[in-house]
């Protein structure tokens, strides 16, 4: 019996200390707040959070809410008085209110507090500050501070999806434009190179009709970066169906099929799109290019001529025609004539092909004089075979100068 008494006294002392320690910690927070030193109060709260004896104390987190509210009020007062507001502190306090409110709710439930009153109190508080949280999301997103934007967007979206608000009226949730916020987070994560997180926002962001095409664009690119090629192609096809005005999806799909040596598949895709939207310049240009790559030069020229007939601003189509005629000339040169007459016929044909190529390539040169490496070698061949000495010498000199500049840059 004598041994039990010291043990009971020791246990009682420990229990009293465990009660006194939180009270002492809270007094430090309260003292700092009364002194108007809110930053010091937050340091005390942070210290409590890292203390294993205090980490589960509801009062600590409730004080966190109060301090953040007071910071928010101070910045609001500045706005009301026409003074300069600390925007970062204002928005940070809003997010702090949300973070500490959720923690306080969780700790309160864990400590056996009545769930219904605590739930109502927490929800009422957070709905009051929710619009300002949305403003913060927009602010950092528009500013291009994507890391901060993601931080606030996480809080915004997670709050709306929290079990805390599972019984909130659906119209109210709809008004929160969560799909748009999901798109903002999706794009922000893409800009940060966090491609797996981009894909995670797909289902919610897809409901944002205003940014639907952009959402599919970022999802396709994120899938590509993650090496998920099936998803990449699927998003591109979906973009073609659901955002047909965007050239991105067709260009990406066509390039994908070309890179994977599926020119025929790319041509079938292009023809199917032309059936739906005949005369579309992008698809006509794509078809002319694919036919050129397939060495179906005469068909490619016809398609390019059709395109230029109603849209002569597609300057690359002029280049395509020039390339096709030059390639046809090269093929004609490789043929072995049976006799002198056939040799003359082949020579005339080669001459005619280069003569046909010349105005198209010269038009392209006039439009893009700096692209010597692109049009230079072709016009070199044209002028050489047409015996245009002065023009040939000029292009030859330009090519040599361009080669010299490349060499000097390489040495540097």
């Amino acid at each position: 019996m004598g041994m039990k008494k010291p043990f009971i006294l020791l246990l009682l002392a420990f229990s009293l200390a465990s009660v006194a320690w939180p009270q002492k910690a809270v007094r430090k927070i309260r003292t700092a707040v009364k002194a108007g030193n809110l930053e010091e109060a937050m340091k005390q709260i942070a210290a409590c959070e890292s203390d294993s004896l205090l980490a589960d104390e509801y009062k600590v987190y409730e004080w966190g809410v109060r301090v953040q509210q007071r910071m928010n009020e101070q910045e609001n007062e500045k706005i009301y008085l026409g003074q300069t507001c600390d925007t970062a502190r204002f928005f940070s306090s809003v997010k702090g209110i949300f973070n500490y409110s959720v923690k306080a709710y969780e700790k309160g439930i864990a400590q056996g507090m009545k769930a219904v009153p605590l739930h109502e109190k927490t929800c009422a508080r957070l709905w009051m500050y929710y619009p300002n949280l949305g403003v913060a999301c927009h602010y950092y997103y528009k500013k291009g501070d994507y890391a901060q934007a993601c931080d606030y967007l996480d809080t915004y979206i997670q709050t709306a999806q929290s079990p805390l608000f599972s019984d909130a009226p659906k119209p109210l949730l709809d008004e929160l434009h969560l799909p748009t916020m999901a798109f903002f987070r999706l794009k922000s994560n893409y800009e940060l190179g966090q491609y797996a997180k981009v894909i995670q926002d797909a289902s919610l962001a897809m409901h944002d009709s205003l940014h639907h095409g952009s959402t599919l664009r970022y999802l396709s690119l994120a899938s590509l970066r993650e090496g998920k090629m099936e998803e990449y192609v699927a998003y591109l096809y979906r973009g073609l169906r659901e955002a047909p005005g965007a050239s991105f999806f067709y260009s990406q799909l066509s390039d994908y099929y070309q890179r994977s040596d599926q020119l025929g598949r790319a041509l079938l895709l292009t023809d199917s799109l032309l059936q739906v939207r005949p005369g579309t310049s992008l698809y006509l240009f794509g078809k002319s290019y694919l036919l050129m790559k397939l060495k179906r030069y005469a068909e490619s020229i016809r398609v390019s001529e059709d395109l230029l007939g109603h849209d002569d601003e597609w300057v690359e189509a002029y280049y395509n025609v020039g390339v096709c005629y030059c390639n046809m000339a090269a093929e004609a040169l490789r043929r072995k004539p049976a006799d002198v007459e056939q040799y003359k016929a082949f020579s005339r044909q080669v001459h005619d092909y280069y003569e046909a190529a010349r105005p198209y390539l010269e038009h392209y040169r006039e439009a893009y004089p700096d692209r010597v490496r692109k049009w230079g070698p072709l016009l070199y061949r044209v002028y050489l075979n047409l015996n245009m000495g002065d023009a040939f010498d000029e292009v030859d000199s330009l090519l040599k100068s361009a080669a010299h500049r490349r060499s000097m840059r390489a040495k540097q």
Side-chain angles (χ1 to χ4, degrees), residues 192-258:
L192 293 169
Q194 298 173 162
Y195 304 120
K197 290 184 177 180
V198 172
I199 297 169
Q200 290 172 5
D201 265 324
S203 59
L204 183 55
M206 283 289 194
H207 294 289
D208 178 15
S209 58
L210 181 63
H211 300 100
H212 192 64
S214 296
T215 297
L216 289 168
R217 179 172 176 268
Y218 287 117
L219 286 171
S220 66
L221 290 174
S223 299
L224 177 63
R225 301 290 188 274
E226 287 286 287
K228 298 182 177 182
M229 301 311 292
E230 288 187 12
E231 288 88 341
Y232 168 63
V233 173
Y235 281 127
L236 291 177
Y237 269 107
R238 185 167 177 179
L240 281 175
R241 292 192 304 271
E242 299 174 14
S247 62
F248 167 83
F249 302 103
Y250 169 72
S251 299
Q252 287 283 314
L253 262 179
S254 182
D255 288 346
Y256 167 75
Y257 285 133
Q258 290 176 57

Side-chain angles (χ1 to χ4, degrees), residues 275-286:
Q275 288 178 2
V276 177
R277 302 182 69 190
T280 301
S281 297
L282 173 64
Y283 303 151
L284 286 172
F285 175 77

Side-chain angles (χ1 to χ4, degrees), residues 93 131 153 200 294 340:
S93 66
L153 286 160
Q200 290 172 5
L294 288 165
V340 174

Side-chain angles (χ1 to χ4, degrees), residues 24-25 38 85 231:
K24 183 179 179 181
L38 300 181
C85 168
E231 288 88 341

Side-chain angles (χ1 to χ4, degrees), residues 89-105:
R89 189 171 186 259
F90 175 74
F91 288 142
S92 177
S93 66
V94 173
K95 188 157 71 68
I97 292 167
F98 276 80
N99 292 339
Y100 281 107
S101 291
V102 172
K103 289 177 183 178
Y105 175 80

Side-chain angles (χ1 to χ4, degrees), residues 1 18 29 80 100 116 120 122 136 152 163 173 175 186 189 199 218 229 281-282 315 341 362 369 392 396:
M1 185 73 180
S18 65
I29 299 170
Y80 178 76
Y100 281 107
V116 174
E120 291 177 351
T122 305
Y152 282 85
L173 287 176
E175 289 172 8
L186 178 148
N189 277 315
I199 297 169
Y218 287 117
M229 301 311 292
S281 297
L282 173 64
V315 182
E341 289 302 315
E362 287 177 342
F392 171 81
D396 182 48

Side-chain angles (χ1 to χ4, degrees), residues 13-206:
F14 179 79
S15 298
L16 291 172
S18 65
V19 172
W21 178 235
Q23 291 177 346
K24 183 179 179 181
V26 169
R27 275 200 302 272
K28 287 183 179 180
I29 299 170
R30 187 187 296 113
T31 300
V33 172
K34 284 184 176 180
N37 194 343
L38 300 181
E39 278 67 25
E40 176 61 29
M42 286 310 305
K43 286 181 183 178
Q44 294 294 333
I45 291 167
C48 292
E49 289 183 84
S50 61
D51 188 329
S52 59
L53 293 176
L54 299 170
D56 292 328
E57 277 293 322
Y58 166 80
K59 288 183 179 179
V60 168
Y61 298 98
E62 188 61 24
W63 268 106
V65 175
R66 293 180 195 175
V67 174
Q68 293 295 327
Q69 283 180 311
R70 182 59 189 136
M71 288 180 172
N72 188 265
E73 288 167 5
Q74 287 179 344
E75 298 307 321
N76 265 317
E77 287 170 8
K78 292 178 185 177
I79 296 171
Y80 178 76
L81 296 173
Q83 300 172 355
T84 303
C85 168
D86 185 337
T87 306
R89 189 171 186 259
F90 175 74
F91 288 142
S92 177
S93 66
V94 173
K95 188 157 71 68
I97 292 167
F98 276 80
N99 292 339
Y100 281 107
S101 291
V102 172
K103 289 177 183 178
Y105 175 80
E106 292 171 350
K107 304 305 179 185
I109 294 297
Q111 290 179 12
M113 296 179 67
K114 292 182 179 180
V116 174
L118 185 60
H119 178 273
E120 291 177 351
K121 173 185 174 182
T122 305
C123 288
R125 176 195 294 153
L126 294 188
W127 281 131
M128 183 171 64
Y129 289 98
Y130 203 78
N132 280 340
L133 184 62
V135 173
C137 295
H138 281 274
Y139 173 79
Y140 286 111
Y141 175 79
K142 296 295 183 184
K143 192 178 177 182
D145 189 344
Y146 295 116
Q148 283 276 49
C150 279
D151 195 18
Y152 282 85
L153 286 160
D154 285 346
T155 303
Y156 189 94
I157 294 171
Q158 288 165 11
T159 298
Q161 295 177 333
S162 168
L164 272 169
F165 306 107
S166 59
D167 58 347
K170 291 299 178 184
L172 181 58
L173 287 176
D174 291 341
E175 289 172 8
L176 300 177
H177 56 278
L178 289 180
T180 299
M181 291 302 200
F183 168 75
F184 289 163
R185 186 168 68 174
L186 178 148
K187 181 185 174 182
S188 297
N189 277 315
Y190 181 84
E191 296 293 345
L192 293 169
Q194 298 173 162
Y195 304 120
K197 290 184 177 180
V198 172
I199 297 169
Q200 290 172 5
D201 265 324
S203 59
L204 183 55
M206 283 289 194

